[in-house]
Amino acid sequence: MITPFALALDPAAFLEMKATKEVVRRLSDMRHHFSDKRAVERILGQGDPVIYRFWEVEYTGPERGLSFGITTIYPGSIGREYYMTKGHFHASSGDEIYMTLHGQGCLILQSRDGQSQTLDMVPGGLCYLPSGWGHRTANTGKENFTFVSIWPPNIEHDYQSVSQYGFPQLVVATDHGPEAVENPEFIRPGRS
Ligand code: F6R
Ligand code: ZN
């Protein structure tokens, strides 16, 4: 049985909780997620930067609890593509809420039936991610980008489809700032 608790919304406070799982993703963990493969190899030739970290507390009890986490994506880009998360679908149904705490980011979404869209993420703002929409976040600013996520328990995170097919849109740096462009390499599932 979980008892009520309060928690500061920063990674250090999360880390003090016993139930927290910390995940660190470096460029080598996601080399095929970035579109500019030459930039990936060139950067890996000099080191292996941490792209993002997240800390999550998964609800494992028998009731209808909630799981939650906090993610920090560092500033930077691989080629023109901003540092971003791998991205995933929720394999079983389950919606999610993201709330931005710090920095400037973009939420990249794709539905299983072929729609795609991007939403700006700004401090104090909330994004609602309906079930069935694969989601990835990118840091489009110059500072750390940090947001909180809350989702129902027992959701299997499906990374496989994203790893295999990618996202229909890439978020890249241009002379006019961040822009979402079509991903020329995106393969729609079910087509060759
Ligand atoms: C949970 C969720 C987030 C992400 C986190 C890292 O359902 O969407 O907490 O898990 O932002 O991104 P991924 O999981 O894509 O590496
Ligand atoms: Zn999710």
Side-chain angles (χ1 to χ4, degrees):
M1 169 72 81
I2 291 188
T3 51
F5 62 90
L7 179 68
L9 290 180
D10 73 72
F14 271 66
L15 270 174
E16 274 170 26
M17 291 185 69
K18 255 199 358 238
T20 300
K21 182 174 103 186
E22 180 181 40
V23 180
V24 181
R25 299 243 207 261
R26 293 179 176 274
L27 181 56
S28 58
D29 300 318
M30 46 189 306
R31 59 203 310 159
H32 57 282
H33 289 79
F34 286 100
S35 60
D36 187 338
K37 308 295 179 224
R38 282 163 69 172
V40 169
E41 295 314 317
R42 183 167 33 77
I43 294 166
L44 284 176
Q46 294 158 6
D48 189 7
V50 174
I51 307 295
Y52 65 104
R53 285 188 162 84
F54 62 102
W55 300 266
E56 61 182 27
V57 181
E58 285 268 12
Y59 179 85
T60 54
E63 312 291 343
R64 300 170 77 192
L66 291 169
S67 298
F68 57 95
I70 189 166
T71 302
T72 292
I73 309 177
Y74 300 105
S77 62
I78 305 296
R80 290 197 309 140
E81 199 173 13
Y82 292 104
Y83 279 17
M84 62 187 186
T85 58
K86 279 187 171 184
H88 59 260
F89 283 87
H90 293 173
S92 40
S93 76
D95 297 4
E96 182 158 18
I97 279 178
Y98 280 2
M99 282 173 290
T100 308
L101 298 176
H102 185 81
Q104 182 189 320
C106 182
L107 174 61
I108 307 161
L109 296 153
Q110 62 168 314
S111 69
R112 295 263 191 209
D113 62 6
Q115 301 171 66
S116 66
Q117 87 179 81
T118 58
L119 296 172
D120 287 338
M121 291 179 70
V122 292
L126 178 151
C127 293
Y128 193 92
L129 291 60
S131 224
W133 286 78
H135 40 281
R136 159 180 285 167
T137 43
N139 182 348
T140 53
K142 293 186 165 47
E143 299 171 19
N144 287 354
F145 168 55
T146 300
F147 64 93
V148 164
S149 36
I150 305 170
W151 65 96
N154 302 319
I155 279 182
E156 206 190 304
H157 289 87
D158 165 19
Y159 290 95
Q160 178 58 31
S161 326
V162 166
S163 211
Q164 200 172 348
Y165 304 113
F167 272 74
Q169 286 176 298
L170 309 174
V171 177
V172 297
T174 73
D175 293 343
H176 323 287
E179 242 172 58
V181 298
E182 201 182 308
N183 177 1
E185 279 168 15
F186 177 70
I187 311 165
R188 203 161 290 292
R191 301 198 193 151
S192 52

